[in-house]
């Protein structure tokens, strides 16, 4: 892959924590390890897109940048199937009742993401657009 490729392999390992409260057993899955490369039990491709540049910048400027992993339907055993650095994409997965796990973004991925944004530019701010003069108004008819 080239230095400015828009995709990278990321490996992860999952863990499970079981707690028992008043006879009820609760299982929580989490990402035990997340590293760049394809050495882990699960390998996913992190692909960056131009449309998510604002979300990437927002993530990078947060106190702890995160990566988000889609792991199948909520309530089922996790099966990692996609990864993103966009909180917007992760939120849409959760809206679709998908299980999403998150982990701190490795420094190597943060540097690669910063280089991607430097190379492709920041997303343009979506400000309110001005209408053309007279747009949306019925034209006056001269008799």
């Amino acid at each position: 892959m080239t230095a400015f490729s828009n995709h990278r392999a990321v490996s992860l390992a999952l863990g499970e924590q079981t707690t028992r409260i008043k006879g009820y057993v609760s299982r929580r899955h989490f990402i035990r390890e997340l590293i760049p490369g394809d050495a882990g039990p699960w390998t996913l491709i992190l692909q960056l897109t131009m449309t998510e540049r604002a979300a990437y910048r927002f993530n990078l400027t947060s106190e702890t940048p995160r990566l988000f992993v889609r792991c199948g339907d909520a309530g089922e055993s996790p099966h990692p199937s996609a990864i993103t650095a966009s909180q917007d994409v992760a939120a849409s997965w959760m809206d679709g009742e998908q299980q999403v796990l998150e982990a701190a973004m490795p420094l190597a991925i943060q540097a690669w993401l910063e280089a991607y944004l430097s190379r492709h530019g920041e997303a343009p701010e979506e400000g309110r657009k001005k209408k053309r003069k007279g747009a949306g108004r019925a034209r006056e008819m001269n008799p």
Side-chain angles (χ1 to χ4, degrees):
M1 283 183 242
T2 64
F4 290 104
S5 174
N6 70 334
H7 57 279
R8 290 283 160 103
V10 178
S11 294
L12 58 119
L14 300 178
E16 180 181 73
Q17 181 180 25
T18 304
T19 55
R20 183 180 295 261
I21 301 172
K22 296 184 180 181
Y24 178 75
V25 176
S26 173
R27 289 186 173 86
R28 182 182 73 82
H29 295 95
F30 61 94
I31 298 173
R32 184 170 30 91
E33 180 180 43
L34 188 140
I35 57 171
D38 58 1
W42 296 96
T43 299
L44 300 171
I45 300 299
L46 174 59
Q47 183 168 352
L48 304 178
T49 62
M50 297 288 282
T51 57
E52 294 298 320
R53 289 176 295 168
Y56 301 149
R57 173 57 61 207
F58 181 79
N59 192 355
L60 282 175
T61 58
S62 69
E63 189 174 320
T64 305
R66 317 292 287 168
L67 288 176
F68 307 92
V69 178
R70 183 178 63 199
C71 291
D73 292 331
E76 295 183 1
S77 292
H79 184 84
S81 59
I83 188 168
T84 185
S86 168
Q87 292 169 311
D88 297 343
V89 170
S92 72
W93 291 341
M94 289 189 287
D95 288 345
E97 298 187 13
Q98 294 288 303
Q99 181 177 186
V100 176
L101 303 178
E102 62 181 74
M105 186 185 299
L107 289 175
I109 297 293
Q110 289 180 43
W112 171 67
L113 186 51
E114 188 65 53
Y116 177 86
L117 292 174
S118 294
R119 180 171 176 87
H120 296 289
E122 299 292 326
E125 288 194 30
E126 294 190 21
R128 184 176 167 155
K129 295 180 181 178
K130 291 184 179 181
K131 290 185 177 182
R132 294 184 331 268
K133 185 174 182 179
R137 296 183 181 162
R139 292 187 175 196
E140 292 180 21
M141 302 289 278
N142 289 334

